[in-house]
């Protein structure tokens, strides 16, 4: 399967990478939102 | 169940957090089953040989790219009509995953086209309209984030999403309306000429992508809710 193998791997590999990137983007966005809330909490505590 | 109760971001935040892991789990199981059927059970295609196995990711991603756009536009319509915050947030949460599946559909189509048509890209009606769909997703995301006031961004992006819906029948019927290099639909409501294992592999992958999309949208909308509601009492009361 050397010929078609390249095209199949490139397809499934990129699909897996794209899903992984989506998952990471979601996790980062959630972590940033929680960090922003924590930051505001800390600022309020200082006041 | 009182559905209006769930329209409150505070309630939906907890509800989405409880539901999302189940959808991610289902997606993983169904994707594993789909890949097993696609690579282990489905026979080699008589004309295309092994390379046709790209179908299991390509068709599922293509279906999802169109379906997610439709759902996103529906949420946009609800947000515009009833001025509901959560519907606008859901539309925003769906867009990146929809764009991702559109990219995957184009990429996998390209790598399927090279060994079968002899080219990675051709400006054929189906492929071009799918590329327009990717630009519509990008436009939605850019427009939603272009305003200082997120509610104005919600309305502008929802309007674009609704206008862009006209592209969906163009994608779907392009292979019938124009003489395209892209093949016609393999699965129709009236039936299919595919081998049953090929059909099951494709359906399992499509449902896996669908479950993933729900899990991703629910998880992303939780982050959006936190961003928007971070100064509210209930968010301040959340455990760190």
């Amino acid at each position: 399967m050397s010929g078609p193998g390249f095209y199949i791997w490139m397809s499934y590999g990129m699909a897996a990478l794209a899903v992984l990137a989506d998952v990471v983007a979601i996790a980062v966005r959630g972590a940033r939102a929680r960090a922003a809330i924590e930051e505001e909490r800390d600022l309020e505590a200082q006041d | 169940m009182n559905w209006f109760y769930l329209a409150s971001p505070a309630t939906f935040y907890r509800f989405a957090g409880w539901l999302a892991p189940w959808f991610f789990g289902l997606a993983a199981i169904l994707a594993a089953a789909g890949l097993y059927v696609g690579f282990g059970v489905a026979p080699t295609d008589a004309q295309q040989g092994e390379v046709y196995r790209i179908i299991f990711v390509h068709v599922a991603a293509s279906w999802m790219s169109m379906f997610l756009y439709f759902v996103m536009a529906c949420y946009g319509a609800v947000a515009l009509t009833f001025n509901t915050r959560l519907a606008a947030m859901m539309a925003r949460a769906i867009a990146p995953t929809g764009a991702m599946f559109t990219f995957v559909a184009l990429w996998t189509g390209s790598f399927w086209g090279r060994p079968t048509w002899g080219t990675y890209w051709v400006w054929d009606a189906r492929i071009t309209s799918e590329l327009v769909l990717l630009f519509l997703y990008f436009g939605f995301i850019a427009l939603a984030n272009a305003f200082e006031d997120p509610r104005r961004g919600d309305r502008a992006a929802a309007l674009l999403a609704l206008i862009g819906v006209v592209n969906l029948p163009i994608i779907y019927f392009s292979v019938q309306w124009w003489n395209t290099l892209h093949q016609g639909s393999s699965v129709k409501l009236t039936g299919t000429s595919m081998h049953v294992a090929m059909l099951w592999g494709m359906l399992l992958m499509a449902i896996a992508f669908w479950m993933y999309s729900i899990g991703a949208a629910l998880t992303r909308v939780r982050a959006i809710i936190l961003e928007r509601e971070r100064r509210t009492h209930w968010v301040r009361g959340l455990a760190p």
Side-chain angles (χ1 to χ4, degrees):
Chain A
M1 214 171 80
S2 59
F6 168 74
Y7 300 104
I8 293 171
W9 274 109
M10 285 299 284
S11 299
Y12 281 87
M14 182 52 83
L17 272 178
V19 171
L20 187 70
D22 196 43
V23 169
V24 169
I26 292 169
V28 167
R29 189 165 185 176
R32 277 188 186 154
R34 282 188 293 276
I37 293 162
E38 277 306 298
E39 209 172 298
E40 287 193 12
R41 268 186 192 147
D42 290 345
L43 284 171
E44 269 183 11
Q46 283 171 15
D47 293 340
Chain B
M1 180 183 274
N2 185 354
W3 294 102
F4 289 105
Y5 178 67
L6 282 178
S8 146
T11 315
F12 195 77
Y13 178 84
R14 292 180 183 90
F15 185 64
W18 177 77
L19 270 183
W22 291 98
F23 282 105
F24 281 131
L26 264 175
I29 294 166
L30 287 164
L35 289 173
Y36 172 73
V37 173
F39 283 87
V41 181
T44 305
D45 186 73
Q47 285 184 325
Q48 296 189 25
E50 298 293 344
V51 82
Y52 94 92
R53 293 186 198 277
I54 294 172
I55 199 173
F56 301 113
V57 67
H58 174 71
V59 172
S62 307
W63 284 350
M64 214 40 58
S65 69
M66 290 188 285
F67 179 68
L68 288 180
Y69 192 91
F70 179 71
V71 175
M72 184 182 84
C74 287
Y75 273 118
V78 171
L80 276 178
T81 312
F82 301 106
N83 202 23
T84 48
R85 287 177 299 159
L86 190 60
M89 289 187 223
M90 278 304 292
R92 278 180 186 247
I94 291 168
T97 303
M100 182 272 288
F101 277 124
T102 311
F103 168 75
V104 169
L106 287 167
W107 179 276
T108 54
S110 181
F111 275 85
W112 194 3
R114 183 70 182 91
T116 50
W117 301 337
T119 179
Y120 283 105
W121 186 265
V122 62
W123 292 101
D124 129 308
R126 168 62 68 84
I127 303 165
T128 308
S129 52
E130 185 74 12
L131 182 66
V132 169
L133 185 70
L134 182 64
F135 292 150
L136 281 168
Y137 273 119
F138 288 161
F140 178 93
I141 295 166
L143 201 55
N145 294 301
F147 296 86
E148 190 122 356
D149 175 8
R151 301 302 299 275
R152 286 185 67 198
D154 288 344
R155 284 192 289 274
L159 203 60
L160 176 69
L162 284 173
I163 294 165
V165 165
V166 75
N167 190 43
L168 297 182
I170 295 175
I171 298 172
Y172 188 78
F173 292 110
S174 56
V175 287
Q176 293 171 30
W177 291 345
W178 293 286
N179 187 19
T180 63
L181 196 55
H182 196 284
Q183 68 180 65
S185 302
S186 306
V187 183
K188 292 174 184 160
L189 288 174
T190 50
T192 178
S193 55
M194 290 176 83
H195 187 281
V196 69
M198 294 177 183
L199 180 67
W200 270 107
M202 223 168 71
L203 290 177
L204 281 167
M205 287 299 284
I207 301 169
F209 282 1
W210 186 15
M211 295 299 109
Y212 168 79
S213 302
I214 297 173
L218 289 175
T219 313
R220 189 177 274 115
V221 84
R222 274 166 60 86
I224 296 171
I225 289 171
L226 288 184
E227 287 165 8
R228 295 270 189 102
E229 309 264 310
R230 67 177 184 275
R231 293 194 175 87
T232 58
H233 185 69
W234 75 269
V235 170
R236 293 293 171 92
L238 286 174

